[in-house]
Amino acid sequence: MTPGWEAMTAGRWNIVVGSMTPTAKRAEALEFPAVYYYTPAAFAVHEDFDGAIISDLKEKVIGVTPSSTYHL
């Protein structure tokens, strides 16, 4: 089971290694001494979609993972 945000920031452990994007708000509770990998955001679209650039997604409905840094 993956611990929730509350458990990771409760002062219970000295180190947590996982996929977490550093943000200013998260830095209030945690120290981010080094970013050890980076995965850029990506979109998967249906083969019938004729868009080619990010602005082609304007006014389209997209799905994102809640509570991620990609969810605005």
Side-chain angles (χ1 to χ4, degrees), residues 4 6 16 18 24-25 33 38 40-42 48 50-51 55 60-61 66 70-71:
E6 295 79 21
V16 174
K25 184 168 180 144
Y38 173 75
D48 294 340
D50 61 356
S55 62
K60 303 292 185 203
V61 176
Y70 305 117
H71 183 225

Side-chain angles (χ1 to χ4, degrees), residues 7-23:
M8 288 189 282
T9 59
R12 201 170 152 191
W13 302 299
N14 293 320
I15 187 170
V16 174
V17 177
S19 297
M20 182 184 297
T21 304
T23 65

Side-chain angles (χ1 to χ4, degrees), residues 31-35:
E31 293 181 30
F32 293 96
V35 176

Side-chain angles (χ1 to χ4, degrees), residues 40-65:
F43 285 93
V45 298
H46 191 275
E47 62 186 21
D48 294 340
F49 183 70
D50 61 356
I53 58 175
I54 196 79
S55 62
D56 292 334
L57 294 170
K58 186 176 182 178
E59 299 185 18
K60 303 292 185 203
V61 176
I62 62 171
V64 298
T65 55

